[in-house]
Amino acid sequence: SAKDINYPTFTELQFASFNKAAKSFGRAGFGNLVKHCAATGAALISRKYHCDAVRIGIGFYGLWPSRELEVQLSKKIRLYPVLSWRAVVGEVKDLKPGDYVGYDLTERVKNKTKLAIIPVGYWHGFPRALSGAGSVIINGKKADVLGRVSMDLLAVDVGGVRCRPGDIATIIGRDGKEEILASDAARDAGTIHYELLTRLNPLIERVLV
């Protein structure tokens, strides 16, 4: 539970047990074992947990293991997310008051607006829980998800956004002054960014920059 500096008790108990076991191995003749017990959280909290090696997981991708550590340590340590997720706007459609969007008539627009179709859905790893709750960024402005997230597309409200087919929609990442963090999207979906990121479909094209 090494994800909050304010609650070290259980982590300290675990560390003491770990060291006790390591000494037992040493007495049994295995004194040259490489000892490591720190994932990203413990590695950030204290050097005493580093032992011979650390296992940096999510921190290696520039993400904090918890909101608590981000608040506690972000002034001393800067992490830069390495992943952005983007897609191309496929269509832009006009909506009139009273029009429904998505499966099962889950959302009905009250005012005249425009809708952009983005070819990303829960098959790709965009949580269905973000139906009517998530957002993307298009040309530097956020556009809210309308209706149900489908298997391979989602609809967003671009009534107040300059948008046309071929524009880039940022699902995770920065565009201009706006940014959507993986932790933000995960929070809105009622989960954690670990789950969100590990569920990104491996068939999505990866571009190394």
Side-chain angles (χ1 to χ4, degrees):
S1 64
K3 294 181 180 178
D4 190 340
I5 293 174
N6 294 325
Y7 299 97
T9 305
F10 189 74
T11 300
E12 284 294 302
L13 289 173
Q14 284 189 310
F15 190 52
S17 296
F18 177 86
N19 286 328
K20 183 179 179 180
K23 289 179 181 178
S24 295
F25 275 101
R27 289 192 296 269
F30 299 97
N32 293 325
L33 291 177
V34 175
K35 298 182 290 295
H36 56 94
C37 68
T40 298
L44 291 172
I45 286 176
S46 175
R47 287 182 178 273
K48 71 180 179 181
Y49 300 131
H50 290 189
C51 300
D52 299 314
V54 295
R55 305 186 320 277
I56 300 299
I58 201 163
F60 191 70
Y61 296 92
L63 299 168
W64 292 92
S66 69
R67 176 61 178 164
E68 291 82 2
L69 279 189
E70 182 178 5
V71 170
Q72 294 161 355
L73 297 176
S74 59
K75 291 183 179 180
K76 297 179 181 179
I77 301 171
R78 292 293 304 275
L79 297 181
Y80 299 91
V82 301
L83 176 140
S84 295
W85 186 11
R86 308 185 197 279
V88 178
V89 174
E91 290 184 80
V92 176
K93 300 181 178 184
D94 292 316
L95 294 179
K96 61 183 182 298
D99 280 348
Y100 290 97
V101 180
Y103 284 116
D104 305 320
L105 310 180
T106 52
E107 187 146 6
R108 190 179 192 185
V109 298
K110 296 180 180 179
N111 304 303
K112 179 181 177 181
T113 189
K114 288 182 178 291
L115 174 148
I117 300 295
I118 301 170
V120 167
Y122 55 77
W123 180 86
H124 301 85
F126 191 91
R128 191 170 182 269
L130 290 180
S131 299
S135 62
V136 302
I137 309 171
I138 300 174
N139 291 320
K141 290 189 176 182
K142 285 192 175 181
D144 295 332
V145 174
L146 288 174
R148 289 258 171 90
V149 174
S150 301
M151 181 175 67
D152 53 7
L153 63 84
L154 57 92
V156 297
D157 188 342
V158 292
V161 180
R162 178 175 53 85
C163 180
R164 61 184 181 181
D167 285 346
I168 301 299
T170 297
I171 302 165
I172 295 174
R174 178 178 290 278
D175 179 0
K177 295 182 180 180
E178 293 287 355
E179 183 176 21
I180 297 175
L181 300 172
S183 55
D184 297 332
R187 180 196 62 234
D188 293 341
T191 185
I192 58 175
H193 53 314
Y194 288 84
E195 179 184 11
L196 177 68
L197 294 174
T198 55
R199 291 180 67 183
L200 293 182
N201 195 311
L203 296 181
I204 297 175
E205 180 184 7
R206 265 65 169 171
V207 179
L208 300 180
V209 180

